[in-house]
């Protein structure tokens, strides 16, 4: 029994930077996140054999897909990898059934039909067998793409921005559906590429953060989101408030950090070697009436607002020394201007970073 | 030749044009495929030479072919001695002239049709375990068929109508190498206006019919394919 462990250590020179990554992925869903053009999709293409790295090694359990020093580069058709492309890449001149049977080889036509039929049932496309891709909705197309791949029983499944081609209102439904299909019918390793943090958090177990072809951080999604290690990592996962910190010292069970003219109390946490920044998510900045028991309670002035559908981005100056962005529910925005309302930077929500 | 119209030029023209188009298809499609796959400078140079027949005057082209395949050239002599094939002043020469003037149209159309195929479709097929040749047959050809059919139509029309290159290479031997366009010119010089009118009408009618058939075929083959 194999455990579908994928080991990747590759370099490849790209137009504007060098892709140089080294990671290991086990069963479950792992997300590669990063801004557009950071080498995410290129990594998937190298895994599938559609692009050749300059050097390194790719292996799945004991199968070697690519190894530069012994000149092994297995062809895509022999890697048994499932790949769902960004635009699904359904063959427009083939029906749903023909698309799904396309990857089945060496089987009798009856066997193929039966397998395709079973898969069509599983992804709830029954009745659409004879339709052409252009006659399907975005969600149906995605299910055909998934079915076409899963029916070949791949040991590794690669999903390249699976939701970017979809309308906002169907995205959530389809995410749930994707999770359902994967949970019920797929037991291997899944690697998902996205630039959407929310999506990554909802779908993945583990995350790998990419920037300019390098891995910035990787690990369990909770750790990566709540304890980014570097300024780059914090930026990629969408932390809007990053500011320099001058000193960190122990103060009882807390740490005291100087940022601007402020001294901030934060919860004890591993201090990065070259700590020079702090961060807090916009959603974690709170506002409350002044009292004596709360740590990190400061005066502030409002410098700007940007109203969204549900929440407003409020830019505040804290004690005239620190500029932060807070995300406040629209109905609470007015209460910020009341007297003796202060801003709270909860000690448990602040994290230390190094800029490296 | 008083009353009956000699239809030999009509049949010869179609035989030559059909043969030339078939050859253009068999030779042109692989060339277009490889030109599309390789985007280097060599591909550009090859492409330039393959496009030359569109720009060059047909008589210039015909002259080159005459030099290349004539008795004075080693190629012409070898073909004649080893394979007993004579090119100059034969129907075979007419086919070669028609092929050379018409193949650029097919290659151009096919190449841009191949280039129009979304590369991720080919990648999807690769990951799904197909060989390149199999992908060519199951994905590339069906998806590029519209462009290829247009190329076939164009190259057939060009082959059917060629005058200059054919005249240079194959001459105008009645009942042997005299194709329709040449026969029309011949009849006009002889002052036989009735014959000219009839030949021109026949040529026009048959051309329209052929183009119509190819167009219909193209539409049918494209069912189920998005625009």
């Amino acid at each position: 029994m194999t455990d579908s462990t994928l080991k990747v250590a590759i370099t490849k020179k790209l137009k504007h930077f060098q892709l140089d990554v080294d990671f290991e992925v086990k069963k479950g869903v792992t997300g590669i996140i990063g801004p557009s053009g950071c080498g995410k999709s290129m990594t998937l293409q190298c895994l599938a054999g559609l692009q050749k790295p300059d050097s390194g090694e790719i292996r799945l359990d004991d199968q070697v897909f690519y190894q530069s020093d012994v000149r092994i580069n297995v062809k895509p058709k022999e890697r048994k990898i499932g790949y769902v492309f960004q635009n699904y890449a359904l063959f427009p001149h083939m029906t749903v059934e023909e698309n799904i049977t396309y990857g089945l080889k060496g089987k009798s036509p009856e066997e193929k039909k039966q397998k395709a039929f079973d898969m069509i049932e599983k992804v709830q496309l029954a009745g659409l067998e004879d339709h052409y891709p252009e006659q399907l909705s975005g969600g149906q197309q995605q299910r055909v793409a998934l079915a076409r791949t899963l029916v070949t029983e791949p040991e590794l499944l690669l999903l390249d921005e699976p939701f970017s081609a979809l309308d906002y209102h169907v995205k959530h439904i389809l995410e749930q559906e994707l999770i359902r299909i994967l949970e019920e019918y797929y037991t291997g390793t899944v690697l998902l590429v996205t630039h959407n943090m929310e999506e990554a958090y909802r779908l993945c177990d583990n995350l790998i953060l990419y920037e300019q072809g390098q891995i910035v951080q990787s690990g369990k999604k909770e750790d990566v989101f709540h304890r980014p290690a570097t300024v780059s990592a914090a930026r990629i996962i969408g932390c809007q408030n990053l500011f320099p910190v001058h000193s960190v010292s122990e103060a009882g069970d807390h740490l005291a950090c100087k940022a601007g003219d402020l001294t901030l109390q934060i919860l004890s946490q591993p201090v990065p070697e070259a700590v020079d920044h702090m961060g807090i998510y916009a959603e974690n900045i709170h506002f409350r009436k002044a009292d004596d028991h709360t740590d990190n309670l400061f005066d502030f002035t409002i410098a700007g607002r940007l109203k969204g559908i549900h929440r407003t981005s409020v830019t505040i100056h804290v004690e005239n020394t620190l500029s932060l962005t807070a995300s406040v529910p629209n109905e609470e925005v007015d209460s910020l201007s009341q007297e003796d309302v202060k801003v709270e930077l909860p000690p448990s929500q602040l994290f230390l970073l190094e800029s490296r | 030749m008083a009353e009956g119209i000699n239809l030999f030029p009509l049949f010869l023209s179609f035989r030559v044009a059909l043969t030339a188009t078939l050859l253009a298809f068999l030779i042109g499609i692989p060339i277009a495929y490889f030109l599309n796959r390789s985007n280097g400078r060599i591909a550009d140079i090859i492409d330039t030479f393959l496009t030359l027949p569109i720009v060059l005057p047909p008589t210039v082209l015909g002259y080159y072919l005459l030099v290349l395949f004539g008795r004075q050239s080693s190629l012409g002599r070898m073909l004649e001695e080893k394979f007993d094939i004579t090119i100059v002043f034969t129907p075979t020469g007419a086919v070669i002239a028609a092929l050379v003037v018409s193949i650029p149209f097919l290659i151009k159309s096919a190449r841009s049709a191949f280039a129009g195929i979304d590369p991720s479709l080919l990648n999807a097929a690769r990951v799904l375990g197909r060989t390149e040749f199999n992908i060519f047959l199951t994905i590339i050809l069906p998806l590029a068929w519209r462009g290829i059919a247009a190329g076939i139509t164009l190259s057939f029309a060009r082959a059917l109508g060629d005058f200059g290159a054919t005249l240079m290479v194959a001459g105008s031997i009645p009942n042997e190498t005299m194709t329709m366009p040449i026969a029309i010119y011949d009849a006009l010089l002889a002052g036989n206006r009735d014959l000219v009118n009839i030949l021109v009408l026949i040529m026009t009618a048959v051309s329209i019919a052929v183009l119509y058939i190819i167009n219909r075929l193209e539409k049918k083959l494209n069912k189920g394919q998005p625009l």
Side-chain angles (χ1 to χ4, degrees), chain A residues 93-165:
Chain A
H93 58 303
M94 296 184 194
T95 62
V96 168
E97 189 184 317
E98 286 166 344
N99 264 285
I100 293 175
T101 49
Y102 191 81
L104 294 172
K105 54 189 160 184
K107 297 187 175 73
S108 71
E110 295 77 34
E111 246 180 299
K112 283 188 190 176
K113 218 176 161 66
Q114 188 56 45
K115 275 203 129 182
F117 179 77
D118 289 346
M119 189 47 77
I120 285 169
E121 287 279 297
K122 284 178 189 169
V123 298
Q124 297 167 352
L125 285 167
L128 297 172
E129 292 90 341
D130 296 328
H131 283 55
Y132 286 93
E134 58 167 345
Q135 299 169 302
L136 304 177
S137 70
Q140 289 166 340
Q141 290 185 9
Q142 190 191 54
R143 276 179 280 161
V144 176
L146 212 53
R148 183 177 70 178
T149 298
L150 292 181
V151 79
T152 64
E153 294 164 8
E155 289 172 49
L156 173 67
L157 181 61
L158 308 176
L159 305 173
D160 192 355
E161 301 266 7
F163 300 100
S164 65

Side-chain angles (χ1 to χ4, degrees), chain A residues 280-306:
Chain A
I280 183 168
Y281 285 101
E283 291 77 9
N284 290 337
I285 296 178
H286 301 316
F287 297 89
R288 58 162 70 222
K289 295 254 179 204
D291 63 53
D292 301 331
H293 324 295
T294 311
D295 289 325
N296 299 343
L297 214 51
F298 302 108
D299 286 327
F300 68 97
T301 53
I302 294 176
R305 301 170 190 202
L306 197 59

Side-chain angles (χ1 to χ4, degrees), chain A residues 39-303:
Chain A
K40 298 171 300 201
S41 292
M42 180 55 78
T43 305
L44 289 198
Q45 293 194 11
C46 286
L47 293 181
L50 299 170
Q51 291 278 349
K52 191 170 171 276
D54 296 337
S55 69
E57 185 178 30
I58 300 169
R59 55 169 73 223
L60 184 62
D61 293 327
D62 49 2
Q63 310 168 59
V64 176
F65 287 157
Y66 174 80
Q67 199 174 338
S68 55
D69 51 10
V70 288
R71 290 170 170 273
I72 294 177
N73 188 23
V74 177
K75 287 200 173 108
K77 69 188 173 84
E78 280 141 28
R79 294 194 184 193
K80 284 185 191 153
I81 284 181
Y83 199 134
V84 175
F85 291 81
Q86 197 164 356
N87 55 3
Y88 310 136
L90 299 178
F91 306 125
H93 58 303
M94 296 184 194
T95 62
V96 168
E97 189 184 317
E98 286 166 344
N99 264 285
I100 293 175
T101 49
Y102 191 81
L104 294 172
K105 54 189 160 184
K107 297 187 175 73
S108 71
E110 295 77 34
E111 246 180 299
K112 283 188 190 176
K113 218 176 161 66
Q114 188 56 45
K115 275 203 129 182
F117 179 77
D118 289 346
M119 189 47 77
I120 285 169
E121 287 279 297
K122 284 178 189 169
V123 298
Q124 297 167 352
L125 285 167
L128 297 172
E129 292 90 341
D130 296 328
H131 283 55
Y132 286 93
E134 58 167 345
Q135 299 169 302
L136 304 177
S137 70
Q140 289 166 340
Q141 290 185 9
Q142 190 191 54
R143 276 179 280 161
V144 176
L146 212 53
R148 183 177 70 178
T149 298
L150 292 181
V151 79
T152 64
E153 294 164 8
E155 289 172 49
L156 173 67
L157 181 61
L158 308 176
L159 305 173
D160 192 355
E161 301 266 7
F163 300 100
S164 65
L166 295 171
D167 288 334
Y168 182 78
H169 64 278
V170 292
K171 247 182 213 182
H172 277 258
I173 305 168
L174 289 174
E175 279 179 13
Q176 286 172 17
E177 212 175 75
L178 178 73
I179 291 174
R180 175 188 71 86
I181 293 172
L182 291 182
E183 275 176 357
E184 287 178 29
Y185 307 113
Y186 190 71
T187 53
T189 301
V190 182
L191 211 53
L192 178 146
V193 155
T194 178
H195 61 272
N196 185 320
M197 315 309 141
E198 288 278 340
E199 185 181 301
Y201 197 87
R202 287 192 294 265
L203 295 171
C204 303
D205 307 313
N206 296 298
L207 295 175
I208 300 173
L209 303 186
Y210 263 47
E211 190 184 55
Q212 291 270 315
Q214 313 277 326
I215 294 177
V216 174
Q217 192 174 350
S218 62
K220 283 172 98 161
K221 67 172 170 191
E222 292 84 2
D223 295 342
V224 171
F225 262 94
H226 299 300
R227 287 277 172 266
T230 63
V231 175
S232 302
R235 213 171 267 140
I236 294 169
I237 56 176
C239 177
Q240 285 171 293
N241 297 306
L242 300 165
F243 47 89
V245 54
H246 312 307
S247 72
V248 180
S249 54
E250 296 216 17
D253 55 346
H254 277 59
L255 296 173
C257 309
K258 280 208 165 19
D261 300 335
L262 304 179
T263 300
L264 296 169
Q265 305 291 320
I266 70 168
L267 221 53
S268 272
Q269 56 187 272
V271 180
E273 225 171 279
V275 59
D276 53 6
H277 275 75
M278 286 178 85
I280 183 168
Y281 285 101
E283 291 77 9
N284 290 337
I285 296 178
H286 301 316
F287 297 89
R288 58 162 70 222
K289 295 254 179 204
D291 63 53
D292 301 331
H293 324 295
T294 311
D295 289 325
N296 299 343
L297 214 51
F298 302 108
D299 286 327
F300 68 97
T301 53
I302 294 176

Side-chain angles (χ1 to χ4, degrees), chain B residues 148-165:
Chain B
I148 293 171
I152 291 174
T153 314
L154 282 173
S155 74
F156 180 78
R158 181 68 187 86
L160 193 64
D162 183 63
F163 181 87

Side-chain angles (χ1 to χ4, degrees), chain B:
Chain B
M1 248 256 245
E3 295 298 302
I5 299 161
N6 182 6
L7 287 180
F8 179 85
L10 180 70
F11 292 126
L12 179 66
S13 269
F14 271 88
R15 224 178 65 214
V16 167
L18 282 173
T19 315
T21 310
L22 182 69
L23 288 174
F25 180 80
L26 293 176
I27 301 168
I29 294 293
I31 293 178
Y33 178 74
F34 286 110
L35 282 181
N36 181 48
R37 283 193 63 145
S38 48
N39 287 321
R41 191 179 293 163
I42 293 168
D44 284 343
I45 293 170
I46 294 173
D47 195 34
T48 307
F49 273 96
L50 290 172
T51 317
L52 210 53
I54 296 179
V55 187
L56 276 183
T59 43
V60 175
L61 211 58
Y63 180 70
Y64 281 137
L65 291 175
L66 203 57
V67 171
L68 186 67
F69 290 109
R71 288 231 165 94
Q72 275 78 40
S73 87
S74 47
L75 180 65
R77 235 175 300 137
M78 189 201 70
L79 283 174
E80 195 166 336
E81 281 163 16
K82 292 229 169 106
F83 302 98
D84 200 23
I85 298 170
T86 323
I87 306 276
V88 175
F89 300 127
T90 64
T92 313
V95 169
I96 294 207
L99 172 67
V100 170
V101 296
S102 64
I103 201 170
F105 293 95
L106 195 131
I107 293 176
K108 286 254 160 213
S109 308
R111 190 182 177 185
S112 62
F114 291 155
I117 296 174
D118 178 357
S120 67
L121 294 180
L122 310 183
N123 281 338
R126 283 180 193 124
V127 175
L128 287 167
R130 298 291 184 113
T131 61
E132 292 299 313
F133 184 64
N134 191 291
I135 292 170
F136 180 74
L137 294 182
T138 57
I139 309 285
I140 297 179
L141 268 191
L143 288 180
W145 186 249
R146 185 186 300 234
I148 293 171
I152 291 174
T153 314
L154 282 173
S155 74
F156 180 78
R158 181 68 187 86
L160 193 64
D162 183 63
F163 181 87
T166 309
L167 188 63
M168 295 288 281
V169 179
S172 62
I173 308 165
N175 291 334
E176 206 170 312
T177 62
M178 191 186 279
T179 57
M180 236 5 209
I182 299 171
I184 291 169
Y185 180 69
D186 200 51
L188 189 69
L189 281 192
N192 194 343
R193 281 308 265 272
D194 290 345
L195 185 58
V196 172
N197 286 343
I198 291 169
L199 290 178
V200 165
L201 275 180
I202 292 175
M203 194 78 174
T204 310
V206 175
S207 301
I208 290 174
V210 167
L211 290 181
Y212 181 74
I213 290 167
I214 292 178
N215 269 329
R216 293 289 303 174
L217 199 68
E218 189 188 342
K219 281 222 177 76
K220 257 195 194 141
L221 284 163
N222 273 301
K223 263 198 184 152
Q225 187 191 326
L227 288 173

